[in-house]
Amino acid sequence: MAVTDEAIEKIKDMIVTGALRPGDRLPREGELAAELGLSRNSLREAVRALSLIRILDVRQGDGTYVTSLDPPLLLEALSFVVDFHRDDTVLDFLAVRRILEPAATAMAATRIDEQQLDALEAQLDELGDDPSVEELVACDLEFHRGVVRGCGNSVLCSLLDGLSGPTARARIWRGLTQEDAVARTLREHRAILAALRDRDAEAARSWATVHIASVEQWLRSSL
């Protein structure tokens, strides 16, 4: 494993220093192994590991390339890792969301365009006033994804997208057990949208904080 780690670090260094850029094809395996002072086997293991986290793209019969290294691609690995969370860490994920998502929502208030706002409103209108819990949670995920996308920061958007999965089950549980959860969620979505329409960053931040904190508060009292 130590030899494979060394191989990973050497390839990483080539990318970080600019010797290999996004979209570049790596030298042939034998040439690269000799250049880096590695065995072919350790190089092969390093390439396999880096392809799993979307740093490299192995194209059968064509060679190995550096990917685009765009944040959404690289942060796919985060979504995969957080799927292994334990139930007792859900509050930790909610706490991170409560830090990041209000900031992203405030940013969106000054950056989101009218077409994106119209799409969010149409999404809420289509959901209606009496959705099932499953429909509400699916809409909730898409609504927040759309709001965060409006902030224009692809790193923040990808981070929050990766963090949203572990809290989905808690939101379904809340919807099934808390009497006013569905109506409250719908009201808070409308309030967030209204703040975005008004280009009021602080109101958008406040409503996003209230929205996430209400789930967190309910979950703390239920555990």
Side-chain angles (χ1 to χ4, degrees), residues 66-86:
V66 181
T67 66
S68 66
L69 302 181
D70 288 337
L73 182 67
L74 297 182
L75 289 170
E76 279 183 12
L78 174 65
S79 299
F80 178 77
V81 171
V82 300
D83 282 342
F84 291 94
H85 75 283
R86 304 189 313 271

Side-chain angles (χ1 to χ4, degrees), residues 170-189:
R171 281 178 274 181
I172 291 174
W173 181 21
R174 180 198 183 204
L176 291 171
T177 60
Q178 190 178 34
E179 185 177 344
D180 64 341
V182 172
R184 183 173 180 174
T185 298
L186 293 172
R187 287 196 303 271
E188 289 168 356
H189 281 179

Side-chain angles (χ1 to χ4, degrees), residues 1 7 11 27 42-43 47 60 63 65 68 70 82 94 129 135-137 153 182 197 217 220:
M1 182 57 68
I11 297 173
S42 62
L43 177 62
V47 167
Q60 203 66 33
Y65 292 79
S68 66
D70 288 337
V82 300
L94 278 169
D129 296 327
E135 289 171 337
L136 178 68
V137 171
N153 185 310
V182 172
R197 287 272 190 207
Q217 183 182 34
R220 285 186 188 281

Side-chain angles (χ1 to χ4, degrees), residues 110-207:
T110 60
R111 300 181 181 185
I112 195 167
D113 61 39
E114 291 298 322
Q115 185 176 5
Q116 289 172 301
L117 289 170
D118 290 342
L120 291 173
E121 186 163 12
Q123 187 180 11
L124 296 181
D125 289 344
E126 183 178 351
L127 184 65
D129 296 327
D130 189 28
S132 68
V133 172
E134 290 77 9
E135 289 171 337
L136 178 68
V137 171
C139 178
D140 188 60
L141 290 169
E142 284 304 314
F143 179 80
H144 290 288
R145 186 176 287 125
V147 170
V148 174
R149 193 179 298 123
C151 83
N153 185 310
S154 61
V155 175
L156 191 52
C157 188
S158 298
L159 276 172
L160 283 166
D161 201 35
L163 291 170
S164 65
T167 63
R169 185 161 52 178
R171 281 178 274 181
I172 291 174
W173 181 21
R174 180 198 183 204
L176 291 171
T177 60
Q178 190 178 34
E179 185 177 344
D180 64 341
V182 172
R184 183 173 180 174
T185 298
L186 293 172
R187 287 196 303 271
E188 289 168 356
H189 281 179
R190 291 289 182 184
I192 291 170
L193 180 58
L196 294 175
R197 287 272 190 207
D198 292 341
R199 304 297 177 181
D200 189 334
E202 288 312 307
R205 185 196 305 274
S206 297
W207 276 113

Side-chain angles (χ1 to χ4, degrees), residues 94-104 212:
L94 278 169
V96 174
R97 273 191 70 203
R98 183 161 46 84
I99 293 167
L100 296 179
E101 194 159 320
I212 298 165

Side-chain angles (χ1 to χ4, degrees), residues 6-15 19-20 24-48 50 56 58 63-66:
E6 180 188 2
I8 289 171
E9 284 299 317
K10 288 186 174 182
I11 297 173
K12 174 185 170 183
D13 187 61
M14 292 180 73
I15 295 171
L20 285 172
D24 282 355
R25 184 181 187 278
L26 271 64
R28 293 181 183 278
E29 185 181 276
E31 296 171 11
L32 186 58
E35 179 183 341
L36 298 179
L38 301 167
S39 70
R40 287 195 175 197
N41 188 56
S42 62
L43 177 62
R44 202 171 294 129
E45 290 299 321
V47 167
R48 184 177 294 114
L50 290 170
L56 298 178
V58 180
T64 299
Y65 292 79
V66 181

